[in-house]
Amino acid sequence: MGEHPSPGPAVAACAEAERIEELEPEAEERPPAAPEDFDPGNTGYISTGKFRSLLESHGSKLDPHKREVLLALADSHADGQICYQDFVNLMSNKRSNSFRQAILQGNRRLCSKALLEEKGLNLSQRLIRHVAYETLPREIDRKWYYDSYTCCPPPWFMITVTLLEVAFFLYNGVSLDQFVLQVTHPRYLKNSLVYHPQLRAQAWRYLTYIFMHAGIEHLGLNVVLQLLVGVPLEMVHGATRIGLVYVAGVVAGSLAVSVADMTAPVVGSSGGVYALVSAHLANIVMNWSGMKCQFKLLRMAVALICMSMEFGRAVWLRFHPSAYPPCPHPSFVAHLGGVAVGITLGVVVLRNYEQRLQDQSLWWIFVAMYTVFVLFAVFWNIFAYTLLDLKLPPPP
C-alpha cells in the first residue's frame, strides 16, 4: 500500500546462499528448519547479533512496520537468543500468543512514528487505517493489520446477511401491503421463518427469525448497526470469528425467549446485532487508553442511546395489545441474550486479534458456559412446557 511492498510475504532463510528469499504465503505452511549458518547447533534459536545483522542487510525488502516488529522481537530477548519458529511465524503472518507477549515486553519503543501520522495515503489506505483505529487498541496490531489487509476476501458475511434481511423485508412488505409495524398485520406470524412457541420443534426457526422484522423502523436500526459496527469488525477479525459471535447471539436470543418468555414469538436480528455491538463497546471500555478512535465517549453514548431506544420499542411492542390474540407480540428477551453473548464470547474474540482462541483459557470457560446454556434450553423446551402445563397460543 502506497510505497510499501505488497503485504503478506513469508520470508525464510536460505542455507545455501545466506540470503532472504520471498515466498508466497500459500506456498508452504510447514516452517523451514533453521539454517546452519544462523543455528550451527540446530537448537531452534538464532542469536540476536546475527538476527540484527540479517535485518540490516535485508530489512529494506520488508514492510517498514514489519521491520519494526522484528527489531522489537530482538530487543525483547535479554538472553541473546530468538526462537527461530517465532521468526518464521511472523514472516508467515502467523503470530503466537507467546510471540505477542515477547513484543509487548520488549525494551524498545515500537512506535517512533504512529500510523496515524503517516502522510500521502490514498483513499483505500486511509479507510484501512481508519478501521484499524476504530477496532484495535494496540499500535503494533494496527500497523500489522494495515500492512497485511488485502480486502481478499471482502467482509462478505455481514453484507450478505444485511442484503438478505432487506430482501425478505421487502418481499414481506409487498405481500402484506404493509411496511411500518408489519408485526401488527394478522397474517404476519404465518411466515415459516418466524419463531413461534407452538412450532418450536421446527429447529430452523431458532435461526431464521432474523430475516423477519417488526417493521421498517426495526430493520433500519439493525441494518445501520450491522454495517457501521459489523463490517469493520469483520474486516479486522474475519468472517469466521464475527459470524460465530453473530450466530451465537442469534441462537442465544431465541433460546432465551423460549426459556424466559415462553408464550411469545421472536423476530428480528437484534440478538446478533446486540452481540456484536456489546462486544465492541465492552472492548473499547476495557482498552480505553489504547483505543484511539475519535470522539469515542460521544459515540459510545450515541450507540447506547440507540440501543436503549430500540430495546424500549421492543418492550413497548411486547406489552401492546396484540393484533392476533391470544398470541402476544414478539418478545424483547432476544436482545438480552445477544448482550450476554457479546460481553462473554464476543469480548474474547475481539481482544485476541489474530491469536489462537483455543490457547485462551477464558475462551473455553465461556464456550462451556454457552454450551451448558444451550443444552439447558433444549431440555427446557422438551420437558418444561409439559411439566408446567403452560397454555400456549394456537399455531398461526
Side-chain angles (χ1 to χ4, degrees):
M1 16 182 79
E3 67 273 18
H4 303 154
S6 58
V11 180
C14 178
E16 293 80 12
E18 297 184 16
R19 61 187 177 83
I20 293 293
E21 181 177 66
E22 292 191 3
L23 302 175
E24 291 298 326
E26 301 82 16
E28 183 65 63
E29 290 192 0
R30 182 181 176 187
E36 294 180 359
D37 290 331
F38 294 109
D39 183 19
N42 197 26
T43 62
Y45 290 88
I46 308 174
S47 71
T48 53
K50 291 180 178 178
F51 185 68
R52 282 186 170 280
S53 66
L54 182 69
L55 279 180
E56 290 173 1
S57 302
H58 303 282
S60 60
K61 300 179 182 179
L62 301 175
D63 294 324
H65 300 150
K66 188 166 287 187
R67 187 174 183 276
E68 284 189 10
V69 175
L70 284 169
L71 288 171
L73 176 63
D75 287 339
S76 67
H77 288 263
D79 58 359
Q81 289 185 320
I82 293 173
C83 177
Y84 185 72
Q85 184 62 56
D86 279 344
F87 169 63
V88 173
N89 286 346
L90 172 65
M91 292 295 92
S92 305
N93 284 340
K94 299 175 183 176
R95 298 181 297 168
S96 65
N97 194 51
S98 60
F99 171 75
R100 173 197 283 273
Q101 293 303 319
I103 295 298
L104 295 180
Q105 294 170 8
N107 55 21
R108 179 181 182 274
R109 290 180 62 86
L110 252 182
C111 310
S112 56
K113 181 179 181 182
L115 180 60
L116 195 60
E117 299 173 1
E118 295 198 3
K119 307 296 183 182
L121 304 182
N122 59 36
L123 182 60
S124 64
Q125 291 172 328
R126 290 199 299 270
L127 174 62
I128 295 170
R129 182 179 65 179
H130 174 76
V131 169
Y133 276 94
E134 287 291 309
T135 56
L136 296 171
R138 302 179 184 90
E139 186 68 16
I140 180 175
D141 287 338
R142 290 191 283 260
K143 288 187 173 185
W144 184 277
Y145 169 74
Y146 177 81
D147 283 332
S148 302
Y149 185 71
T150 62
C151 199
C152 184
W156 62 269
F157 177 80
M158 293 309 309
I159 293 176
T160 301
V161 169
T162 301
L163 291 175
L164 287 174
E165 290 172 0
V166 172
F168 276 105
F169 175 80
L170 293 176
Y171 173 80
N172 212 38
V174 171
S175 62
L176 298 178
D177 194 24
Q178 184 172 337
F179 289 91
V180 178
L181 283 177
Q182 283 184 0
V183 72
T184 60
H185 195 283
R187 291 191 289 114
Y188 180 82
L189 291 185
K190 294 183 181 295
N191 194 294
S192 60
L193 301 178
V194 176
Y195 168 84
H196 190 282
Q198 278 283 18
L199 303 173
R200 63 188 184 280
Q202 299 176 355
W204 70 83
R205 293 177 181 264
Y206 290 89
L207 184 61
T208 58
Y209 74 92
I210 68 171
F211 299 118
M212 299 291 294
H213 283 79
I216 194 169
E217 66 290 342
H218 185 200
L219 174 73
L221 182 60
N222 281 346
V223 165
V224 168
L225 290 176
Q226 281 180 179
L227 295 179
L228 292 184
V229 178
V231 170
L233 289 179
E234 186 179 346
M235 289 174 65
V236 173
H237 298 280
T240 301
R241 292 191 174 190
I242 296 305
L244 174 65
V245 175
Y246 187 86
V247 172
V250 169
V251 174
S254 54
L255 289 176
V257 172
S258 70
V259 172
D261 196 2
M262 300 167 66
T263 62
V266 189
V267 297
S269 59
S270 296
V273 172
Y274 275 53
L276 291 180
V277 177
S278 299
H280 182 52
L281 294 181
N283 190 42
I284 292 176
V285 172
M286 295 170 67
N287 299 280
W288 187 261
S289 60
M291 296 298 291
K292 302 300 182 182
C293 47
Q294 294 181 326
F295 311 112
K296 55 187 175 184
L297 183 59
L298 175 62
R299 292 162 63 182
M300 277 194 64
V302 171
L304 289 173
I305 290 173
C306 291
M307 293 172 67
S308 300
M309 290 176 60
E310 159 58 18
F311 183 71
R313 181 208 60 79
V315 173
W316 167 82
L317 183 62
R318 169 62 178 84
F319 296 105
H320 189 270
S322 177
Y324 24 76
C327 183
H329 282 145
S331 176
F332 59 86
V333 177
H335 298 67
L336 304 180
V339 170
V341 169
I343 61 178
T344 52
L345 290 174
V347 168
V348 176
V349 168
L350 299 193
R351 282 175 58 84
N352 289 279
Y353 168 63
E354 278 200 354
Q355 306 305 308
R356 288 163 52 90
L357 293 177
Q358 54 266 43
D359 293 340
Q360 314 297 321
S361 57
L362 201 57
W363 166 254
W364 291 113
I365 292 173
F366 289 144
V367 167
M369 292 171 58
Y370 185 83
T371 303
V372 169
F373 167 71
V374 170
L375 292 176
F376 168 79
V378 169
F379 282 102
W380 180 274
N381 277 271
I382 295 174
F383 300 109
Y385 283 76
T386 303
L387 293 175
L388 295 175
D389 195 22
L390 191 68
K391 186 176 181 181
L392 295 176

